[in-house]
């Protein structure tokens, strides 16, 4: 068993979690899932932006096939990866996936659970599950259509097509591409921009993005913000800078 599957760097306004199983190309094991749950618990109690990345030029090559092969129907119904990725998606503050190299199967589904995805030209992302006799059941069938559209999601999931970095950017699966050496710095720059904004407004914006009922959800969230001292302070500062 790995000593640890995540290397976690905790900073004041963000946490960087590096998937690290070098002997398995960062394949997602039960141990990694357990550690992701523990990290989610920490970020639910102390909300900060989360940056997810992979060590050694690979995000995550997929689920651990050796573990997956031995799982049966009861394991499928437990939704081992599904519940962990749903928890990541529901974190109070934004999640940024910095995706380099392979992000396949469960690795792709982990990236889909992020709010923002950035990549590199050598990115290879997709869901080859049907070639292994299973389906992508940890979020791809509902998150991927929301990201790239129904037609493109169907092509990826039904054919097992793997996108390279340029295709992923063209399809809107990642918002930008960076040299591998610059990828974490680009993720940090996004986290810096997030940190410059009001944390409560950021959290409410994320809630609104995931809300099932529009526009009622946005109006209630906005109502709370309209009464906040931070809104008053920031708008006063803005007006003073404009000389009004």
């Amino acid at each position: 068993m790995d000593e640890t599957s995540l290397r976690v760097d905790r900073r004041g306004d963000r946490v960087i979690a590096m998937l690290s199983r070098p002997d398995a190309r960062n394949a997602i094991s039960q141990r990694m899932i357990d550690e992701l749950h523990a990290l989610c618990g920490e970020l639910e109690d102390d909300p900060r932006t989360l940056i997810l990345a992979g060590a050694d030029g690979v995000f995550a090559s997929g689920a651990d096939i050796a573990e997956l092969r031995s799982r049966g129907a009861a394991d499928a119904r437990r939704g081992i990866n599904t519940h962990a990725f749903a928890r990541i998606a529901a974190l109070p503050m934004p999640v940024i996936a910095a995706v380099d190299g392979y992000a396949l199967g469960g690795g792709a589904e982990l990236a889909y659970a992020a709010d923002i995805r950035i990549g590199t030209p050598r990115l290879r992302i997709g869901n080859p599950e049907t070639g292994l006799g299973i389906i992508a059941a940890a979020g791809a069938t509902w998150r991927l259509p929301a990201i790239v559209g129904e037609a493109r999601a169907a092509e990826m999931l039904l054919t097992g097509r793997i996108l390279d970095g340029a295709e992923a950017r063209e399809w809107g699966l990642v918002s930008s591409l960076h040299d591998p050496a610059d990828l974490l710095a680009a993720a940090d720059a996004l986290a810096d921009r997030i940190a410059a904004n009001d944390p409560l407004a950021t959290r409410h914006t994320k809630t609104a993005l995931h809300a099932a009922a529009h526009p009622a959800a946005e109006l209630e969230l906005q109502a709370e913000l309209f009464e906040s001292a931070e809104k008053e302070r920031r708008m006063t500062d803005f007006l003073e800078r404009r000389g009004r």
Side-chain angles (χ1 to χ4, degrees):
M1 180 176 289
D2 304 331
E3 182 177 345
T4 181
S5 296
L6 292 180
R7 301 204 308 261
V8 181
D9 179 10
R10 296 170 177 84
R11 304 182 187 175
D13 57 16
R14 73 201 61 176
V15 171
I16 301 171
M18 186 78 66
L19 312 182
S20 182
R21 295 188 66 214
D23 295 338
R25 296 195 299 178
N26 302 336
I28 298 172
S29 63
Q30 180 66 64
R31 177 65 177 269
M32 186 181 289
I33 290 294
D34 293 342
E35 292 178 6
L36 286 169
H37 274 298
L39 181 58
C40 285
E42 177 183 331
L43 293 174
E44 289 159 357
D45 291 338
D46 181 14
R48 284 165 285 173
T49 295
L50 173 62
I51 298 173
L52 290 169
D56 300 322
V58 176
F59 185 70
S61 59
D64 188 303
I65 300 301
E67 291 185 6
L68 200 58
R69 184 178 58 178
S70 65
R71 290 176 181 168
D75 298 302
R77 294 188 178 99
R78 284 172 56 207
I80 295 168
N81 289 3
T82 303
H83 294 306
F85 299 168
R87 199 172 177 187
I88 288 167
L91 285 172
M93 288 292 282
V95 178
I96 301 166
V99 192
D100 189 18
Y102 289 109
L104 302 177
E109 290 181 296
L110 175 57
Y112 303 158
D115 301 292
I116 301 170
R117 286 164 299 281
I118 60 175
T120 70
R122 67 187 184 187
L123 171 64
R124 299 293 182 271
I125 187 167
N127 293 90
E129 280 89 343
T130 54
L132 294 170
I134 58 174
I135 68 170
T141 56
W142 70 89
R143 290 196 182 100
L144 189 57
I147 297 167
V148 301
E150 293 281 348
R152 284 174 163 171
E155 180 179 339
M156 288 180 68
L157 295 174
L158 295 174
T159 69
R161 177 174 176 175
I162 307 301
L163 304 184
D164 62 25
E167 291 169 325
R169 181 175 59 181
E170 179 187 350
W171 285 27
L173 193 47
V174 297
S175 57
S176 59
L177 295 179
H178 306 271
D179 185 271
D182 300 328
L183 184 61
L184 277 180
D188 263 328
L190 287 170
D192 288 341
R193 294 182 66 176
I194 291 167
N197 298 323
D198 174 28
L200 183 59
T202 297
R203 291 176 61 172
H204 279 3
T205 298
K206 176 167 179 172
T207 299
L209 281 167
H210 290 276
H214 300 286
E218 287 90 341
L219 297 181
E220 285 304 313
L221 295 166
Q222 187 76 299
E224 180 180 345
L225 290 168
F226 270 21
E227 299 292 333
S228 73
E230 186 67 5
K231 171 248 190 181
E232 178 74 16
R233 184 190 71 79
R234 286 173 176 266
M235 292 191 176
T236 299
D237 287 349
F238 174 82
L239 293 173
E240 290 177 351
R241 286 196 302 272
R242 291 186 57 182
R244 292 178 57 185

